[in-house]
Amino acid sequence: MSQNYYITTPIYYVNDKPHIGHAYTTLACDVMARFKRLDGYDVTFLTGTDEHGQKVEKAAEAVSLTPQHFTDQVSQNFRDLTKAMNFSNDDFIRTTENRHKAACQRIWSILQDNGNIMLGKYEGWYSVRDETFFAETELVGGMAPTGAPVEWVEEPSYFFNLSAWQDKLLAFYDENPRFVGPESRFNEVKSFVKSGLRDLSVSRASFKWGVPVPGDDNHVMYVWLDALTNYLTATGWPENGPAGDKEKYARVWPADLHMVGKDILRFHAVYWPAFLMAADLPLPKRVYAHGWWTNDGQKISKSLGNAIDPNHLAATYGLDQTRYFLMREVPFGNDGDFSVQAMTQRINGDLANDLGNLSQRVLSMVFKNCNGIMPAIPEPLKSEDQELLKSVDSLIINVRRHIDNQAFHEALRIIWQVISQANRYVDSIAPWALKKTDPERMAEVLAVLSETIRKIAILVQPVMPDSAGKILDQLGVDPTQRNFNFLVGKARLASGQGIAKPEPVFPRFLDEG
Ligand code: ME8
């Protein structure tokens, strides 16, 4: 039986249309999910929408729709995005679904029954935009630290005894040094917990758009307790719920990776493990917090109207080009700035010139100079052939290491190093010049190059599934032979099969704007 791998995106608030930031997180998960599937794992990849809370209630009010009607519409935009971006999620969860309400009420009851939730009164500041409570001391110039406005809230509220979990959380962090990535963010989490935790208000009584608190209709659950529970719901938990699936839960939970933006790390690395510990449920293995995209140096926000629509990017630059750019341009974990210039450079440099040109010129030579028949890899190999094949053969080990650390940019960088090496090999041997003088050597060199391209195309499938697929089609690689088993051992590109006239896979981008 293959090993399971469960990966999740945050569930997105439906107060707004999806933008580049949302697409980015889900893309990173899609790349992880595709990579793990090719590497032999049984993957469960979850995304969805976060539909309760005051923020969504207000957004619905603003367009004169009922919250349910409104969330139906906006959630669909996120679902459409998964198709448009070629995301391979296995499930799409909405927090307004019955399966989810049942899971929320179940976790609440467990926490209440074992004495971790108690009724009290909340008095303090609340930011609707962040759906977060703030202490007086946390405010900056009368605003939330994020710059969002805050309002004074005074209402009866249930509290989760977060303060009781401080030492257990710190011990857990010590025992699980990979729990949060990147490391600098893990340090921030630890200092936050060390500085002391206050009990957390986990219900609201001043509006209705939420999951009712079991046994107390005056309260709805705090949207973050509701939202975080989605990761459990989708595993078939609880087993007696409307979508209960004991076997799936046992197989899939705990999650291997919760991918989040840095804005919501605290919820995932502090509150969520505390809720789970208190409910006596296993904790996720890792939370990774990536950075923030800006647009030409400015924070992307609704009020600035500078959100970048991922559909527009895909239509303008090509879907795989967009996927590649987002994963390659910015070191994953850091903040990044979107610019047309950077996008154009990646498309024309890395894709059209480096990978596209390599594959196009090699396959064209096989087509023209070898009668369209794939030549055989020489036996024994010449030292320059050996050098190139050694580099491409050893890629998987290092690429896997980088992907397991969510260093997508590094994984791509080392693949592109080998692409450059292959281009230097072609330029120095100049196989086109061998056609008349040494056709046998020409065929050997083209075979070594085709094998190099095969491995590179297999490795870039998670980032650029369609384009890599086209290259593998052109090489005549059987669709059942494109997983990572075919990167190791004796697996080599078959010779003797005919290839069709190659078509360029990566056109140049001409900025006509
Ligand atoms: O926080 N750059 O939902 P949300 C990079 N519902 N990533 C960005 C981004 C940007 N400019 N803007 C948004 C919520 N993101 C909660 C989550 S999970 C149980 C509940 C991404 O719609 C990033 O992943 O505000 C961020 O964490 C997420 O969108 C926030 O989405």
Side-chain angles (χ1 to χ4, degrees):
M1 265 236 324
S2 48
Q3 221 180 318
N4 282 283
Y5 187 81
Y6 179 29
I7 179 164
T8 67
T9 75
I11 46 170
Y12 303 107
Y13 285 131
V14 289
N15 63 320
D16 202 0
K17 278 205 304 254
H19 62 63
I20 187 176
H22 309 117
Y24 185 55
T25 315
T26 314
L27 171 62
C29 293
D30 186 56
V31 172
M32 286 297 311
R34 288 177 182 272
F35 189 93
K36 290 287 172 185
R37 286 191 203 105
L38 290 166
D39 213 9
Y41 287 76
D42 189 357
V43 172
T44 306
F45 167 19
L46 175 70
T47 187
T49 43
D50 188 357
E51 308 192 359
H52 291 129
Q54 212 169 353
K55 168 149 106 174
V56 172
E57 194 183 67
K58 286 192 172 177
E61 242 169 56
V63 289
S64 307
L65 290 174
T66 62
Q68 187 61 56
H69 194 175
F70 176 71
T71 55
D72 287 348
Q73 282 184 6
V74 188
S75 177
Q76 190 58 42
N77 295 336
F78 282 88
R79 205 186 279 266
D80 293 345
L81 182 73
T82 65
K83 286 235 157 29
M85 295 293 293
N86 199 4
F87 294 150
S88 61
N89 52 300
D90 305 280
D91 194 354
F92 186 100
I93 192 166
R94 299 184 55 190
T95 53
T96 44
E97 290 167 351
N98 282 337
R99 60 170 172 162
H100 179 65
K101 291 183 197 158
C104 290
Q105 294 190 326
R106 180 82 190 115
I107 199 164
W108 181 283
S109 302
I110 297 176
L111 294 173
Q112 194 168 32
D113 290 351
N114 62 18
N116 289 292
I117 286 183
M118 270 151 310
L119 189 59
K121 185 174 174 216
Y122 182 76
E123 270 187 23
W125 298 99
Y126 192 77
S127 151
V128 175
R129 197 162 93 195
D130 303 320
E131 294 283 16
T132 304
F133 300 96
F134 290 105
E136 183 78 41
T137 51
E138 287 178 289
L139 300 190
V140 183
M143 307 286 250
T146 56
V150 289
E151 58 193 47
W152 183 255
V153 172
E154 229 179 279
E155 61 188 35
S157 174
Y158 287 91
F159 282 84
F160 172 74
N161 64 347
L162 185 62
S163 54
W165 297 93
Q166 179 170 342
D167 292 343
K168 292 193 184 76
L169 281 169
L170 291 172
F172 172 76
Y173 299 152
D174 269 354
E175 285 155 22
N176 296 277
R178 274 184 54 83
F179 180 58
V180 174
E183 210 176 316
S184 57
R185 300 241 173 258
F186 200 5
N187 292 333
E188 288 168 18
V189 167
K190 289 179 196 166
S191 346
F192 171 72
V193 175
K194 275 187 198 141
S195 73
L197 296 174
R198 285 176 304 129
D199 288 351
L200 182 69
S201 167
V202 285
S203 76
R204 301 292 314 273
S206 51
F207 66 93
K208 285 280 163 223
W209 186 239
V211 180
V213 162
D216 190 343
D217 284 348
N218 294 323
H219 291 256
V220 292
M221 286 183 202
Y222 174 39
V223 66
W224 271 101
L225 173 54
D226 161 351
L228 288 161
T229 304
N230 92 87
Y231 304 133
L232 273 178
T233 309
T235 68
W237 187 91
E239 63 180 87
N240 57 359
D245 187 340
K246 193 176 169 185
E247 180 280 325
K248 182 173 181 190
Y249 169 73
R251 184 164 47 83
V252 169
W253 190 258
D256 291 272
L257 180 63
H258 293 315
M259 180 72 81
V260 298
K262 63 180 183 181
D263 53 322
I264 57 172
L265 178 59
R266 188 179 293 184
F267 298 94
H268 287 79
V270 182
Y271 302 169
W272 182 227
F275 295 151
L276 289 168
M277 278 183 188
D280 210 10
L281 290 164
L283 272 49
K285 294 182 197 151
R286 185 166 163 88
V287 179
Y288 190 94
H290 66 66
W292 211 238
W293 278 92
T294 51
N295 185 356
D296 274 328
Q298 283 194 307
K299 189 175 189 307
I300 293 172
S301 84
K302 208 174 171 178
S303 46
L304 287 174
N306 64 348
I308 300 169
D309 178 357
N311 294 299
H312 169 76
L313 291 184
T316 310
Y317 302 102
L319 174 58
D320 279 353
Q321 284 81 351
T322 301
R323 290 175 58 113
Y324 175 78
F325 172 80
L326 292 174
M327 290 291 97
R328 176 66 186 90
E329 180 64 13
V330 175
F332 202 70
N334 293 4
D335 291 341
D337 188 43
F338 179 84
S339 81
V340 173
Q341 195 196 1
M343 174 74 110
T344 308
Q345 272 171 9
R346 289 287 172 199
I347 293 178
N348 293 343
D350 300 11
L351 298 180
N353 288 352
D354 298 347
L355 177 55
N357 201 19
L358 174 69
S359 132
Q360 183 62 18
R361 59 181 174 161
V362 168
L363 286 167
S364 298
M365 280 189 272
V366 172
F367 187 72
K368 282 197 212 128
N369 298 354
C370 308
N371 300 319
I373 307 291
M374 187 55 72
I377 295 172
E379 249 336 315
L381 291 163
K382 288 222 165 35
S383 71
E384 63 258 41
D385 305 343
Q386 233 164 19
E387 221 176 284
L388 179 60
L389 289 179
K390 201 171 128 216
S391 297
V392 76
D393 287 349
S394 60
L395 264 180
I396 177 63
I397 307 272
N398 294 321
V399 168
R400 184 186 284 126
R401 184 168 49 81
H402 287 312
I403 294 286
D404 279 336
N405 289 324
Q406 288 71 52
F408 302 104
H409 60 293
E410 282 294 317
L412 290 170
R413 189 182 62 77
I414 63 170
I415 295 173
W416 256 257
Q417 269 178 351
V418 178
I419 294 173
S420 298
Q421 189 184 345
N423 275 319
R424 285 196 301 274
Y425 169 96
V426 192
D427 291 341
S428 71
I429 301 181
W432 51 89
L434 295 172
K435 188 178 177 208
K436 293 222 166 72
T437 54
D438 191 351
E440 217 168 285
R441 180 64 190 143
M442 175 198 71
E444 287 177 6
V445 167
L446 293 177
V448 168
L449 284 162
S450 300
E451 165 62 2
T452 304
I453 297 168
R454 177 185 76 93
K455 284 204 154 125
I456 284 166
I458 288 181
L459 280 167
V460 300
Q461 289 176 102
V463 178
M464 298 187 286
D466 286 346
S467 311
K470 280 187 198 154
I471 296 176
L472 292 166
D473 287 347
Q474 294 187 355
L475 286 168
V477 177
D478 191 284
T480 61
Q481 301 190 352
R482 297 179 181 185
N483 63 54
F484 296 166
N485 281 334
F486 295 90
L487 289 178
V488 291
K490 292 204 165 20
R492 288 284 185 217
L493 181 62
S495 61
Q497 80 273 28
I499 66 158
K501 188 172 190 300
E503 296 294 334
V505 175
F506 295 112
R508 291 180 69 78
F509 178 73
L510 303 171
D511 189 1
E512 284 150 2

